[in-house]
Amino acid sequence: MVEHVAGKTCVPLNPQRLVVLGVPTMANALALEVKPVGTTLYFDNIPPYLEGKLDGIKTVGTNQQPNLEKILTLTPDLIITLNDWGASYNQLSQIAPTVVDDWQGYPSWKEHFNFVAEVLGQTEAAKQIWANYEQRIQKLRAALGDQYREIEVSYMYLCCGGISIDLKNSFSGMILDEVGLSRPPTQDLENDSGLVILSEELLTDIDGDVIFISVDEDNDSENMLKQLKQKPLWNKLKAVQQGRVYTVNLQTWRGGNPLAAYAVIDDLFKYLVANQDS
């Protein structure tokens, strides 16, 4: 019996036909070596950290519009969803036992992983995954040494026609903080969503000694980046002047799960640690 935001549900001890509505949930299950039979997706191109891992998993729509008919055809024995995303608990629970996590956005990614581990009966495996995560964090901290103590690292992404920066309590922000990397003052703070959307006039708010930047898959975001690079403010950024702007995968840096976290740490090794084999 599992308590969740929509009530209490009796779930199978070893689910064989798991359906998840949400990429973080899916990746959490994969990290725990439980492969879903169905999932919703919000991207067209599979991010590098999930390549080869989604074979055999059916897509059952998007987070906003899960396809109940497709879910039904998969005959799930358990459904995990987030805060009633796109489909009501009542509808889903008529198909299979359903649990709903109180997802509070990417600031709650660690809590969500632990919730999925509890639902799947994989709490011991989860402890090992957190131990592996901490080992990777400490390895990177040691490799960085003191050279990055005074350096500010910024992360921005272009999506949906806007410029966003992830704050200290975002997914990437938590990783950067645990590694011991400083953030620019405008990013060294928290809010409920873990992010701030900027106008082009506030481009200097993304400034740092190092900038990691992600671009969404759509052409508008690619064009927006090209336009930004032609702005006088862009060339005034410290990281631009020093040639320390690095492009990273958006779905990875906003993945909200341990598999994505491992990949973010690998990126930090790649771009910040000279001659270091991650």
Side-chain angles (χ1 to χ4, degrees), residues 190-205:
E190 301 180 1
N191 66 17
D192 289 343
S193 64
L195 65 87
V196 170
I197 300 174
L198 302 176
S199 64
E200 290 184 13
E201 291 74 23
L202 296 175
L203 194 59
T204 53
D205 283 1

Side-chain angles (χ1 to χ4, degrees), residues 50-115:
L50 288 175
E51 285 180 357
K53 294 181 172 64
L54 305 189
D55 297 343
I57 302 177
K58 301 293 185 182
T59 302
V60 293
T62 64
N63 294 341
Q64 290 74 29
Q65 290 186 313
N67 188 314
L68 295 177
E69 291 183 358
K70 285 187 177 180
I71 295 172
L72 186 60
T73 62
L74 292 176
T75 61
D77 56 8
L78 176 62
I79 299 171
I80 304 178
T81 185
L82 303 172
N83 288 346
D84 252 0
W85 279 12
S88 74
Y89 172 71
N90 289 336
Q91 289 175 310
L92 293 171
S93 60
Q94 289 176 21
I95 298 174
T98 300
V99 295
V100 185
D101 190 22
D102 188 20
W103 172 258
Q104 296 298 317
Y106 290 101
S108 64
W109 73 277
K110 291 185 177 183
E111 290 81 1
H112 181 55
F113 174 76
N114 290 335
F115 175 81

